[in-house]
Amino acid sequence: GRGPLSWRPAPDPATLVFERPGLVCAVNCGDRPVRIDGVPARPELSSGPLPGPGVLPADTAAWWVV
C-alpha cells in the first residue's frame, strides 16, 4: 500500500476509523448513527446512503478523500 495506516479516535466503541495518506475510512458496526469528525461533507464511496454530512448510519462503511 501507499504509506502507513493510522487509527483515528472513534466516536463509539462499535466504530472503527482509520486513515492512510489521502484517505479516511470509517465502519460503523453499531446500531445507531455516529458523526465522523474531520471528513469532507460527501464521501467518495459508501456502502449505503448517508443521512447528512459526516453522519455514518448503523451497519455502514464510508471512504473520504482528504
Side-chain angles (χ1 to χ4, degrees):
R2 291 183 174 175
L5 180 141
S6 301
W7 292 104
R8 294 178 81 177
D12 185 90
T15 305
L16 301 173
V17 184
F18 68 87
E19 64 183 322
R20 297 193 66 170
L23 181 75
V24 172
C25 177
V27 181
N28 183 1
C29 300
D31 59 0
R32 61 186 178 91
V34 295
R35 178 165 299 282
I36 306 298
D37 292 326
V39 295
R42 292 186 180 189
E44 190 71 21
L45 179 68
S46 65
S47 63
L50 275 58
V55 178
L56 191 61
D59 298 322
T60 304
W63 296 259
W64 291 267
V65 174
V66 292

